Amino acid sequence: MASTPPPKPAATRKLHPVPIRVMHWINAVAMLVMITSGWGIYDDYVIISGLHFSHTFRLGSWAAESLMWHFAGMWFLVLNGLAYLIYGVFTGRFRERLLPIRIGELVQTVKDTLHFHIAHEDLTHYNAVQKLLYIVVIVAGISQVVTGLAIWKPVQLSFLVPLFGGFQGARIVHFWGMVVIVGFLVVHVALAVLVPRTIWAMLAGGPRVGDRPRANKVTP
Amino acid sequence: MKSLFRPAQPTSPAVLDDHRPIIRSLQRRGLIRGGLSLGALTMLTGCDVSRPAAVEAALRGISTFNDWFQQQLFNPNKLAPTYPASMVLKPPRFNAYYDIMDVKPVDGDTWKLELAGLIDDKTPWKLPQFAALPQQDEVIRHICIEGWDYIGQWSGVPLRDFLRRIGADTRAKYVNFQSADDYPSSLDMATALHPQTILATSYAGEPLAAPFGFPMRLRTSTKLGFKNPKWITAIEVTNTYTPGYWEKAGFGWFSGI
């Protein structure tokens, strides 16, 4: 007879909800546009003497075109990044996925990795190194926007310039921020290729996970 | 057989020298046209080796939006930081679309500034007339679109004082410049009226040297370096947009800092 349906299982959410997947891929394209167009702009006045980026990897055939790409890509990067930060804070995703980081766990993960015990069986759990790397790249992304604003508007937003020790200081921090992000990208893409399920998870959503334990207690 | 179009007298090489900037601009235009043809070709073959027209149009559209956005961000009362005279680079850094050896000095005695457009009194001005007006001195940072910068000390008549003196319509949208090195430039009126925008005639207390724009160049503290034309010969106040030398090549028009 009509019996009450069994209680819903706790696993109702996918690992990567739709907004995360959309924002991830918008960010991926925007980041690549910003990095490769930035290489086109860099070449006119290099920061490390002798370091040039090959035309093959530059977006834009010369500086004016690269600048046009950079100043178009920035809107996608900033608006999408802002949406991601707001989403991550207010849904509790950042706290759930990226915190806490315990020093002991960090050391153990590094040891395991050096012994080639790379555990990536459980996609729903980030190890301490992963957590730290994601936090570093988020901070680097924010730093790129702030240094970018200092370089773009050193008069209208002149208060930003002294934070980096002057106009050239802002350029140098902007350059090293790119290096950090490119470094992250190399590791991130390499690991994703080694464990292709992670790529599929970022497209289709991945395994179902339990409800956030403290989701309704999150305070901004 | 000798071509009918070949002149009886061979052309003097001096003619080539006199028209070098025009030739350069034609070559550049040819390059742009060539690029467009290549774009059209890729459309035909259906493969995107360079920028397809739709991407080109989108980038231009965002660039126009960015010009508008920067105008909204521009605060007409916000002064650029100034620096002690001890930080001034002497001589200033040379930069143009040609080499310093190709600079053609301008004769200050015969030089005059022509005026055109929405201006009540269009009588040309001579150099001593500017010297008789109140001068403004400013030590400001020059930032090039390429990424380099230096601190310079410029003095001359504030552009807004001059525009008011000649009865310019300051409600117009643009102040355009012509120069002796064929480097047209276009400035928005808000920037032209900014208190740190001057018609500079001296650098670090000395009259401008020939390579840096003698007798008169623009210095504005709120724009990238390429928006500061040197060897100015004419000023026009207008509501019609005319792209400057680098804007034609693809740099953004507003280029505020």
Side-chain angles (χ1 to χ4, degrees), chain A residues 45 62 64-65 67-69 71 75 153-156 158 167-168 171, chain B residues 51 55 66 70 74-75 78 143 146-149 221 249-250 256-257:
Chain A
Y45 185 60
W62 70 295
E65 285 184 5
L67 281 161
M68 233 188 247
W69 277 108
F71 289 144
W75 290 109
K153 294 287 162 198
V155 170
Q156 299 306 325
S158 55
F167 179 75
Q168 290 303 328
R171 278 189 80 229
Chain B
R51 295 205 289 186
V55 174
N66 283 341
Q70 291 185 76
F74 177 78
N75 177 351
K78 167 101 184 163
I143 294 174
E146 293 180 337
W148 49 266
D149 71 301
S221 66
I257 56 174

PDB file of all heavy atoms in Angstrom, chain A residues 45 62 64-65 67-69 71 75 153-156 158 167-168 171, chain B residues 51 55 66 70 74-75 78 143 146-149 221 249-250 256-257:
ATOM      1  N   TYR A  45      58.761  46.085 -22.700  1.00  0.00           N
ATOM      2  CA  TYR A  45      59.653  46.592 -21.658  1.00  0.00           C
ATOM      3  C   TYR A  45      59.793  45.476 -20.638  1.00  0.00           C
ATOM      4  O   TYR A  45      59.018  45.383 -19.693  1.00  0.00           O
ATOM      5  CB  TYR A  45      59.075  47.865 -21.026  1.00  0.00           C
ATOM      6  CG  TYR A  45      59.991  48.521 -20.036  1.00  0.00           C
ATOM      7  CD1 TYR A  45      61.254  48.983 -20.418  1.00  0.00           C
ATOM      8  CD2 TYR A  45      59.611  48.688 -18.706  1.00  0.00           C
ATOM      9  CE1 TYR A  45      62.095  49.578 -19.513  1.00  0.00           C
ATOM     10  CE2 TYR A  45      60.452  49.293 -17.786  1.00  0.00           C
ATOM     11  CZ  TYR A  45      61.696  49.738 -18.196  1.00  0.00           C
ATOM     12  OH  TYR A  45      62.543  50.332 -17.293  1.00  0.00           O
ATOM     13  N   TRP A  62      50.876  42.188 -31.919  1.00  0.00           N
ATOM     14  CA  TRP A  62      51.776  43.185 -31.332  1.00  0.00           C
ATOM     15  C   TRP A  62      51.079  43.824 -30.136  1.00  0.00           C
ATOM     16  O   TRP A  62      49.932  43.473 -29.839  1.00  0.00           O
ATOM     17  CB  TRP A  62      52.241  44.205 -32.377  1.00  0.00           C
ATOM     18  CG  TRP A  62      51.198  45.156 -32.871  1.00  0.00           C
ATOM     19  CD1 TRP A  62      50.086  44.840 -33.596  1.00  0.00           C
ATOM     20  CD2 TRP A  62      51.175  46.589 -32.676  1.00  0.00           C
ATOM     21  NE1 TRP A  62      49.368  45.984 -33.864  1.00  0.00           N
ATOM     22  CE2 TRP A  62      50.010  47.064 -33.322  1.00  0.00           C
ATOM     23  CE3 TRP A  62      52.024  47.494 -32.030  1.00  0.00           C
ATOM     24  CZ2 TRP A  62      49.688  48.425 -33.327  1.00  0.00           C
ATOM     25  CZ3 TRP A  62      51.688  48.834 -32.045  1.00  0.00           C
ATOM     26  CH2 TRP A  62      50.536  49.289 -32.696  1.00  0.00           C
ATOM     27  N   ALA A  64      49.499  46.524 -29.213  1.00  0.00           N
ATOM     28  CA  ALA A  64      48.160  47.130 -29.243  1.00  0.00           C
ATOM     29  C   ALA A  64      47.083  46.047 -29.229  1.00  0.00           C
ATOM     30  O   ALA A  64      46.070  46.176 -28.540  1.00  0.00           O
ATOM     31  CB  ALA A  64      47.999  48.029 -30.470  1.00  0.00           C
ATOM     32  N   GLU A  65      47.306  44.970 -29.988  1.00  0.00           N
ATOM     33  CA  GLU A  65      46.326  43.875 -30.014  1.00  0.00           C
ATOM     34  C   GLU A  65      46.308  43.140 -28.677  1.00  0.00           C
ATOM     35  O   GLU A  65      45.248  42.795 -28.169  1.00  0.00           O
ATOM     36  CB  GLU A  65      46.667  42.900 -31.145  1.00  0.00           C
ATOM     37  CG  GLU A  65      46.305  43.439 -32.509  1.00  0.00           C
ATOM     38  CD  GLU A  65      46.554  42.425 -33.625  1.00  0.00           C
ATOM     39  OE1 GLU A  65      46.912  41.261 -33.324  1.00  0.00           O
ATOM     40  OE2 GLU A  65      46.395  42.802 -34.788  1.00  0.00           O
ATOM     41  N   LEU A  67      47.051  44.368 -25.782  1.00  0.00           N
ATOM     42  CA  LEU A  67      46.388  45.249 -24.807  1.00  0.00           C
ATOM     43  C   LEU A  67      44.872  45.168 -24.961  1.00  0.00           C
ATOM     44  O   LEU A  67      44.139  45.154 -23.971  1.00  0.00           O
ATOM     45  CB  LEU A  67      46.861  46.694 -24.993  1.00  0.00           C
ATOM     46  CG  LEU A  67      48.223  47.015 -24.382  1.00  0.00           C
ATOM     47  CD1 LEU A  67      48.796  48.286 -24.994  1.00  0.00           C
ATOM     48  CD2 LEU A  67      48.114  47.168 -22.867  1.00  0.00           C
ATOM     49  N   MET A  68      44.412  45.129 -26.204  1.00  0.00           N
ATOM     50  CA  MET A  68      42.974  45.042 -26.446  1.00  0.00           C
ATOM     51  C   MET A  68      42.406  43.753 -25.834  1.00  0.00           C
ATOM     52  O   MET A  68      41.347  43.773 -25.207  1.00  0.00           O
ATOM     53  CB  MET A  68      42.728  45.062 -27.953  1.00  0.00           C
ATOM     54  CG  MET A  68      41.734  46.108 -28.388  1.00  0.00           C
ATOM     55  SD  MET A  68      41.355  45.876 -30.124  1.00  0.00           S
ATOM     56  CE  MET A  68      42.059  47.346 -30.794  1.00  0.00           C
ATOM     57  N   TRP A  69      43.132  42.650 -26.014  1.00  0.00           N
ATOM     58  CA  TRP A  69      42.707  41.374 -25.416  1.00  0.00           C
ATOM     59  C   TRP A  69      42.739  41.468 -23.892  1.00  0.00           C
ATOM     60  O   TRP A  69      41.822  41.014 -23.201  1.00  0.00           O
ATOM     61  CB  TRP A  69      43.642  40.231 -25.859  1.00  0.00           C
ATOM     62  CG  TRP A  69      43.323  39.636 -27.187  1.00  0.00           C
ATOM     63  CD1 TRP A  69      44.025  39.785 -28.359  1.00  0.00           C
ATOM     64  CD2 TRP A  69      42.221  38.766 -27.510  1.00  0.00           C
ATOM     65  NE1 TRP A  69      43.441  39.076 -29.368  1.00  0.00           N
ATOM     66  CE2 TRP A  69      42.332  38.429 -28.881  1.00  0.00           C
ATOM     67  CE3 TRP A  69      41.165  38.235 -26.769  1.00  0.00           C
ATOM     68  CZ2 TRP A  69      41.425  37.588 -29.523  1.00  0.00           C
ATOM     69  CZ3 TRP A  69      40.258  37.396 -27.413  1.00  0.00           C
ATOM     70  CH2 TRP A  69      40.395  37.082 -28.775  1.00  0.00           C
ATOM     71  N   PHE A  71      42.523  44.091 -21.911  1.00  0.00           N
ATOM     72  CA  PHE A  71      41.490  44.980 -21.365  1.00  0.00           C
ATOM     73  C   PHE A  71      40.079  44.463 -21.637  1.00  0.00           C
ATOM     74  O   PHE A  71      39.113  44.983 -21.086  1.00  0.00           O
ATOM     75  CB  PHE A  71      41.660  46.401 -21.915  1.00  0.00           C
ATOM     76  CG  PHE A  71      42.867  47.114 -21.353  1.00  0.00           C
ATOM     77  CD1 PHE A  71      43.624  47.987 -22.128  1.00  0.00           C
ATOM     78  CD2 PHE A  71      43.263  46.911 -20.040  1.00  0.00           C
ATOM     79  CE1 PHE A  71      44.742  48.634 -21.617  1.00  0.00           C
ATOM     80  CE2 PHE A  71      44.376  47.552 -19.515  1.00  0.00           C
ATOM     81  CZ  PHE A  71      45.106  48.416 -20.310  1.00  0.00           C
ATOM     82  N   TRP A  75      37.510  42.084 -17.780  1.00  0.00           N
ATOM     83  CA  TRP A  75      36.117  42.163 -17.307  1.00  0.00           C
ATOM     84  C   TRP A  75      35.599  40.784 -16.941  1.00  0.00           C
ATOM     85  O   TRP A  75      34.917  40.607 -15.926  1.00  0.00           O
ATOM     86  CB  TRP A  75      35.219  42.798 -18.380  1.00  0.00           C
ATOM     87  CG  TRP A  75      35.510  44.254 -18.563  1.00  0.00           C
ATOM     88  CD1 TRP A  75      36.125  44.840 -19.640  1.00  0.00           C
ATOM     89  CD2 TRP A  75      35.233  45.312 -17.644  1.00  0.00           C
ATOM     90  NE1 TRP A  75      36.238  46.196 -19.442  1.00  0.00           N
ATOM     91  CE2 TRP A  75      35.696  46.514 -18.236  1.00  0.00           C
ATOM     92  CE3 TRP A  75      34.636  45.368 -16.383  1.00  0.00           C
ATOM     93  CZ2 TRP A  75      35.578  47.751 -17.601  1.00  0.00           C
ATOM     94  CZ3 TRP A  75      34.518  46.602 -15.750  1.00  0.00           C
ATOM     95  CH2 TRP A  75      34.985  47.769 -16.365  1.00  0.00           C
ATOM     96  N   LYS A 153      45.573  52.375 -13.536  1.00  0.00           N
ATOM     97  CA  LYS A 153      45.096  53.685 -13.069  1.00  0.00           C
ATOM     98  C   LYS A 153      45.971  54.237 -11.943  1.00  0.00           C
ATOM     99  O   LYS A 153      45.478  54.469 -10.830  1.00  0.00           O
ATOM    100  CB  LYS A 153      43.635  53.558 -12.595  1.00  0.00           C
ATOM    101  CG  LYS A 153      42.657  53.235 -13.703  1.00  0.00           C
ATOM    102  CD  LYS A 153      42.436  54.436 -14.595  1.00  0.00           C
ATOM    103  CE  LYS A 153      41.839  54.028 -15.917  1.00  0.00           C
ATOM    104  NZ  LYS A 153      41.996  55.056 -16.950  1.00  0.00           N
ATOM    105  N   PRO A 154      47.272  54.446 -12.179  1.00  0.00           N
ATOM    106  CA  PRO A 154      48.156  54.907 -11.104  1.00  0.00           C
ATOM    107  C   PRO A 154      47.866  56.343 -10.642  1.00  0.00           C
ATOM    108  O   PRO A 154      48.377  56.752  -9.599  1.00  0.00           O
ATOM    109  CB  PRO A 154      49.557  54.805 -11.715  1.00  0.00           C
ATOM    110  CG  PRO A 154      49.338  54.842 -13.180  1.00  0.00           C
ATOM    111  CD  PRO A 154      47.997  54.225 -13.440  1.00  0.00           C
ATOM    112  N   VAL A 155      47.020  57.090 -11.390  1.00  0.00           N
ATOM    113  CA  VAL A 155      46.640  58.433 -10.935  1.00  0.00           C
ATOM    114  C   VAL A 155      45.257  58.389 -10.279  1.00  0.00           C
ATOM    115  O   VAL A 155      45.109  58.782  -9.116  1.00  0.00           O
ATOM    116  CB  VAL A 155      46.664  59.449 -12.101  1.00  0.00           C
ATOM    117  CG1 VAL A 155      46.050  60.770 -11.682  1.00  0.00           C
ATOM    118  CG2 VAL A 155      48.090  59.646 -12.599  1.00  0.00           C
ATOM    119  N   GLN A 156      44.256  57.866 -10.997  1.00  0.00           N
ATOM    120  CA  GLN A 156      42.894  57.833 -10.433  1.00  0.00           C
ATOM    121  C   GLN A 156      42.847  56.959  -9.174  1.00  0.00           C
ATOM    122  O   GLN A 156      42.107  57.247  -8.248  1.00  0.00           O
ATOM    123  CB  GLN A 156      41.897  57.316 -11.478  1.00  0.00           C
ATOM    124  CG  GLN A 156      41.806  58.176 -12.737  1.00  0.00           C
ATOM    125  CD  GLN A 156      41.512  59.635 -12.470  1.00  0.00           C
ATOM    126  OE1 GLN A 156      40.777  59.975 -11.550  1.00  0.00           O
ATOM    127  NE2 GLN A 156      42.117  60.521 -13.240  1.00  0.00           N
ATOM    128  N   SER A 158      45.566  56.253  -7.186  1.00  0.00           N
ATOM    129  CA  SER A 158      46.966  56.429  -6.779  1.00  0.00           C
ATOM    130  C   SER A 158      47.265  55.813  -5.404  1.00  0.00           C
ATOM    131  O   SER A 158      48.415  55.484  -5.117  1.00  0.00           O
ATOM    132  CB  SER A 158      47.341  57.911  -6.788  1.00  0.00           C
ATOM    133  OG  SER A 158      46.437  58.635  -5.981  1.00  0.00           O
ATOM    134  N   PHE A 167      55.247  52.415  -9.028  1.00  0.00           N
ATOM    135  CA  PHE A 167      54.663  51.919 -10.276  1.00  0.00           C
ATOM    136  C   PHE A 167      55.391  50.682 -10.789  1.00  0.00           C
ATOM    137  O   PHE A 167      54.771  49.680 -11.150  1.00  0.00           O
ATOM    138  CB  PHE A 167      54.682  53.037 -11.329  1.00  0.00           C
ATOM    139  CG  PHE A 167      54.117  52.614 -12.656  1.00  0.00           C
ATOM    140  CD1 PHE A 167      52.749  52.473 -12.834  1.00  0.00           C
ATOM    141  CD2 PHE A 167      54.958  52.346 -13.731  1.00  0.00           C
ATOM    142  CE1 PHE A 167      52.231  52.067 -14.054  1.00  0.00           C
ATOM    143  CE2 PHE A 167      54.438  51.941 -14.952  1.00  0.00           C
ATOM    144  CZ  PHE A 167      53.072  51.805 -15.109  1.00  0.00           C
ATOM    145  N   GLN A 168      56.728  50.729 -10.822  1.00  0.00           N
ATOM    146  CA  GLN A 168      57.484  49.564 -11.303  1.00  0.00           C
ATOM    147  C   GLN A 168      57.322  48.389 -10.328  1.00  0.00           C
ATOM    148  O   GLN A 168      57.309  47.233 -10.754  1.00  0.00           O
ATOM    149  CB  GLN A 168      58.963  49.900 -11.508  1.00  0.00           C
ATOM    150  CG  GLN A 168      59.229  50.844 -12.693  1.00  0.00           C
ATOM    151  CD  GLN A 168      58.697  50.315 -14.027  1.00  0.00           C
ATOM    152  OE1 GLN A 168      58.656  49.118 -14.277  1.00  0.00           O
ATOM    153  NE2 GLN A 168      58.278  51.231 -14.892  1.00  0.00           N
ATOM    154  N   ARG A 171      54.271  46.601 -11.269  1.00  0.00           N
ATOM    155  CA  ARG A 171      54.510  45.792 -12.480  1.00  0.00           C
ATOM    156  C   ARG A 171      55.214  44.483 -12.116  1.00  0.00           C
ATOM    157  O   ARG A 171      54.885  43.419 -12.644  1.00  0.00           O
ATOM    158  CB  ARG A 171      55.393  46.559 -13.476  1.00  0.00           C
ATOM    159  CG  ARG A 171      54.657  47.560 -14.335  1.00  0.00           C
ATOM    160  CD  ARG A 171      55.584  48.102 -15.421  1.00  0.00           C
ATOM    161  NE  ARG A 171      55.718  47.204 -16.544  1.00  0.00           N
ATOM    162  CZ  ARG A 171      56.876  46.838 -17.093  1.00  0.00           C
ATOM    163  NH1 ARG A 171      58.009  47.268 -16.610  1.00  0.00           N
ATOM    164  NH2 ARG A 171      56.881  46.031 -18.127  1.00  0.00           N
TER     165      ARG A 171
ATOM    166  N   ARG B  51      42.671  36.633 -36.314  1.00  0.00           N
ATOM    167  CA  ARG B  51      41.443  37.031 -35.655  1.00  0.00           C
ATOM    168  C   ARG B  51      40.285  37.106 -36.644  1.00  0.00           C
ATOM    169  O   ARG B  51      40.324  37.920 -37.566  1.00  0.00           O
ATOM    170  CB  ARG B  51      41.657  38.384 -34.994  1.00  0.00           C
ATOM    171  CG  ARG B  51      42.674  38.324 -33.886  1.00  0.00           C
ATOM    172  CD  ARG B  51      42.456  39.393 -32.894  1.00  0.00           C
ATOM    173  NE  ARG B  51      42.807  40.708 -33.435  1.00  0.00           N
ATOM    174  CZ  ARG B  51      42.801  41.799 -32.699  1.00  0.00           C
ATOM    175  NH1 ARG B  51      42.459  41.744 -31.455  1.00  0.00           N
ATOM    176  NH2 ARG B  51      43.145  42.949 -33.224  1.00  0.00           N
ATOM    177  N   VAL B  55      35.449  38.353 -33.820  1.00  0.00           N
ATOM    178  CA  VAL B  55      36.301  38.587 -32.645  1.00  0.00           C
ATOM    179  C   VAL B  55      36.843  40.006 -32.688  1.00  0.00           C
ATOM    180  O   VAL B  55      36.843  40.736 -31.694  1.00  0.00           O
ATOM    181  CB  VAL B  55      37.453  37.558 -32.602  1.00  0.00           C
ATOM    182  CG1 VAL B  55      38.416  37.885 -31.473  1.00  0.00           C
ATOM    183  CG2 VAL B  55      36.897  36.155 -32.435  1.00  0.00           C
ATOM    184  N   ASN B  66      35.480  50.509 -22.924  1.00  0.00           N
ATOM    185  CA  ASN B  66      36.543  50.847 -21.968  1.00  0.00           C
ATOM    186  C   ASN B  66      36.873  52.338 -22.008  1.00  0.00           C
ATOM    187  O   ASN B  66      37.167  52.935 -20.974  1.00  0.00           O
ATOM    188  CB  ASN B  66      37.795  50.020 -22.246  1.00  0.00           C
ATOM    189  CG  ASN B  66      37.655  48.587 -21.745  1.00  0.00           C
ATOM    190  OD1 ASN B  66      36.807  48.293 -20.916  1.00  0.00           O
ATOM    191  ND2 ASN B  66      38.482  47.697 -22.264  1.00  0.00           N
ATOM    192  N   GLN B  70      36.469  54.584 -18.737  1.00  0.00           N
ATOM    193  CA  GLN B  70      37.575  55.389 -18.204  1.00  0.00           C
ATOM    194  C   GLN B  70      37.173  56.850 -18.049  1.00  0.00           C
ATOM    195  O   GLN B  70      37.630  57.529 -17.131  1.00  0.00           O
ATOM    196  CB  GLN B  70      38.780  55.301 -19.130  1.00  0.00           C
ATOM    197  CG  GLN B  70      39.436  53.934 -19.141  1.00  0.00           C
ATOM    198  CD  GLN B  70      40.699  53.952 -19.978  1.00  0.00           C
ATOM    199  OE1 GLN B  70      41.730  54.450 -19.565  1.00  0.00           O
ATOM    200  NE2 GLN B  70      40.596  53.445 -21.180  1.00  0.00           N
ATOM    201  N   PHE B  74      37.309  59.024 -14.622  1.00  0.00           N
ATOM    202  CA  PHE B  74      38.190  60.196 -14.565  1.00  0.00           C
ATOM    203  C   PHE B  74      37.603  61.251 -13.634  1.00  0.00           C
ATOM    204  O   PHE B  74      36.471  61.688 -13.808  1.00  0.00           O
ATOM    205  CB  PHE B  74      38.363  60.775 -15.973  1.00  0.00           C
ATOM    206  CG  PHE B  74      39.203  62.027 -16.005  1.00  0.00           C
ATOM    207  CD1 PHE B  74      40.576  61.940 -15.918  1.00  0.00           C
ATOM    208  CD2 PHE B  74      38.613  63.276 -16.124  1.00  0.00           C
ATOM    209  CE1 PHE B  74      41.349  63.080 -15.946  1.00  0.00           C
ATOM    210  CE2 PHE B  74      39.387  64.422 -16.148  1.00  0.00           C
ATOM    211  CZ  PHE B  74      40.759  64.324 -16.063  1.00  0.00           C
ATOM    212  N   ASN B  75      38.387  61.628 -12.638  1.00  0.00           N
ATOM    213  CA  ASN B  75      37.976  62.676 -11.712  1.00  0.00           C
ATOM    214  C   ASN B  75      38.695  63.963 -12.095  1.00  0.00           C
ATOM    215  O   ASN B  75      39.919  64.052 -11.970  1.00  0.00           O
ATOM    216  CB  ASN B  75      38.337  62.250 -10.285  1.00  0.00           C
ATOM    217  CG  ASN B  75      38.019  63.315  -9.258  1.00  0.00           C
ATOM    218  OD1 ASN B  75      37.675  64.451  -9.600  1.00  0.00           O
ATOM    219  ND2 ASN B  75      38.133  62.960  -7.996  1.00  0.00           N
ATOM    220  N   LYS B  78      41.016  65.359  -9.432  1.00  0.00           N
ATOM    221  CA  LYS B  78      42.037  64.500  -8.815  1.00  0.00           C
ATOM    222  C   LYS B  78      43.401  64.842  -9.414  1.00  0.00           C
ATOM    223  O   LYS B  78      43.613  64.733 -10.622  1.00  0.00           O
ATOM    224  CB  LYS B  78      41.681  63.039  -9.086  1.00  0.00           C
ATOM    225  CG  LYS B  78      42.777  62.057  -8.787  1.00  0.00           C
ATOM    226  CD  LYS B  78      42.551  61.376  -7.468  1.00  0.00           C
ATOM    227  CE  LYS B  78      43.736  60.472  -7.162  1.00  0.00           C
ATOM    228  NZ  LYS B  78      43.790  60.100  -5.761  1.00  0.00           N
ATOM    229  N   ILE B 143      54.352  57.962 -17.790  1.00  0.00           N
ATOM    230  CA  ILE B 143      54.202  56.504 -17.901  1.00  0.00           C
ATOM    231  C   ILE B 143      53.904  56.147 -19.350  1.00  0.00           C
ATOM    232  O   ILE B 143      52.934  56.641 -19.934  1.00  0.00           O
ATOM    233  CB  ILE B 143      53.081  55.991 -16.977  1.00  0.00           C
ATOM    234  CG1 ILE B 143      53.478  56.207 -15.515  1.00  0.00           C
ATOM    235  CG2 ILE B 143      52.805  54.509 -17.232  1.00  0.00           C
ATOM    236  CD1 ILE B 143      52.403  55.867 -14.510  1.00  0.00           C
ATOM    237  N   GLU B 146      54.262  51.194 -22.980  1.00  0.00           N
ATOM    238  CA  GLU B 146      55.155  50.034 -23.014  1.00  0.00           C
ATOM    239  C   GLU B 146      55.480  49.524 -21.609  1.00  0.00           C
ATOM    240  O   GLU B 146      55.913  48.387 -21.452  1.00  0.00           O
ATOM    241  CB  GLU B 146      56.454  50.384 -23.730  1.00  0.00           C
ATOM    242  CG  GLU B 146      56.265  50.652 -25.207  1.00  0.00           C
ATOM    243  CD  GLU B 146      57.571  50.999 -25.908  1.00  0.00           C
ATOM    244  OE1 GLU B 146      58.526  51.458 -25.251  1.00  0.00           O
ATOM    245  OE2 GLU B 146      57.628  50.806 -27.118  1.00  0.00           O
ATOM    246  N   GLY B 147      55.344  50.398 -20.587  1.00  0.00           N
ATOM    247  CA  GLY B 147      55.593  49.961 -19.220  1.00  0.00           C
ATOM    248  C   GLY B 147      56.681  50.735 -18.486  1.00  0.00           C
ATOM    249  O   GLY B 147      56.780  50.641 -17.271  1.00  0.00           O
ATOM    250  N   TRP B 148      57.515  51.524 -19.218  1.00  0.00           N
ATOM    251  CA  TRP B 148      58.563  52.267 -18.521  1.00  0.00           C
ATOM    252  C   TRP B 148      58.021  53.612 -18.048  1.00  0.00           C
ATOM    253  O   TRP B 148      56.963  54.063 -18.494  1.00  0.00           O
ATOM    254  CB  TRP B 148      59.823  52.451 -19.394  1.00  0.00           C
ATOM    255  CG  TRP B 148      59.587  52.955 -20.780  1.00  0.00           C
ATOM    256  CD1 TRP B 148      59.438  52.208 -21.908  1.00  0.00           C
ATOM    257  CD2 TRP B 148      59.461  54.333 -21.200  1.00  0.00           C
ATOM    258  NE1 TRP B 148      59.232  53.003 -23.001  1.00  0.00           N
ATOM    259  CE2 TRP B 148      59.253  54.314 -22.599  1.00  0.00           C
ATOM    260  CE3 TRP B 148      59.521  55.563 -20.549  1.00  0.00           C
ATOM    261  CZ2 TRP B 148      59.092  55.488 -23.348  1.00  0.00           C
ATOM    262  CZ3 TRP B 148      59.360  56.727 -21.291  1.00  0.00           C
ATOM    263  CH2 TRP B 148      59.156  56.677 -22.666  1.00  0.00           C
ATOM    264  N   ASP B 149      58.753  54.216 -17.118  1.00  0.00           N
ATOM    265  CA  ASP B 149      58.314  55.505 -16.575  1.00  0.00           C
ATOM    266  C   ASP B 149      59.512  56.306 -16.117  1.00  0.00           C
ATOM    267  O   ASP B 149      60.595  55.749 -15.918  1.00  0.00           O
ATOM    268  CB  ASP B 149      57.360  55.275 -15.399  1.00  0.00           C
ATOM    269  CG  ASP B 149      58.078  54.730 -14.177  1.00  0.00           C
ATOM    270  OD1 ASP B 149      58.688  53.648 -14.307  1.00  0.00           O
ATOM    271  OD2 ASP B 149      58.049  55.372 -13.115  1.00  0.00           O
ATOM    272  N   SER B 221      49.180  65.046 -16.847  1.00  0.00           N
ATOM    273  CA  SER B 221      49.566  64.094 -15.798  1.00  0.00           C
ATOM    274  C   SER B 221      48.637  62.897 -15.739  1.00  0.00           C
ATOM    275  O   SER B 221      48.891  61.956 -15.020  1.00  0.00           O
ATOM    276  CB  SER B 221      49.547  64.799 -14.448  1.00  0.00           C
ATOM    277  OG  SER B 221      48.214  65.158 -14.129  1.00  0.00           O
ATOM    278  N   ALA B 249      46.491  52.976 -35.172  1.00  0.00           N
ATOM    279  CA  ALA B 249      47.194  51.686 -35.191  1.00  0.00           C
ATOM    280  C   ALA B 249      46.573  50.678 -34.231  1.00  0.00           C
ATOM    281  O   ALA B 249      46.901  49.506 -34.289  1.00  0.00           O
ATOM    282  CB  ALA B 249      48.664  51.912 -34.850  1.00  0.00           C
ATOM    283  N   GLY B 250      45.698  51.139 -33.328  1.00  0.00           N
ATOM    284  CA  GLY B 250      45.005  50.173 -32.470  1.00  0.00           C
ATOM    285  C   GLY B 250      45.058  50.440 -30.972  1.00  0.00           C
ATOM    286  O   GLY B 250      44.418  49.726 -30.204  1.00  0.00           O
ATOM    287  N   GLY B 256      43.674  56.876 -20.240  1.00  0.00           N
ATOM    288  CA  GLY B 256      43.905  57.613 -18.998  1.00  0.00           C
ATOM    289  C   GLY B 256      44.639  56.742 -17.985  1.00  0.00           C
ATOM    290  O   GLY B 256      44.611  55.519 -18.078  1.00  0.00           O
ATOM    291  N   ILE B 257      45.326  57.400 -17.068  1.00  0.00           N
ATOM    292  CA  ILE B 257      46.025  56.631 -16.032  1.00  0.00           C
ATOM    293  C   ILE B 257      45.489  57.012 -14.661  1.00  0.00           C
ATOM    294  O   ILE B 257      44.748  57.959 -14.532  1.00  0.00           O
ATOM    295  CB  ILE B 257      47.571  56.808 -16.086  1.00  0.00           C
ATOM    296  CG1 ILE B 257      47.972  58.274 -16.000  1.00  0.00           C
ATOM    297  CG2 ILE B 257      48.100  56.165 -17.339  1.00  0.00           C
ATOM    298  CD1 ILE B 257      49.486  58.488 -15.907  1.00  0.00           C
TER     299      ILE B 257
END
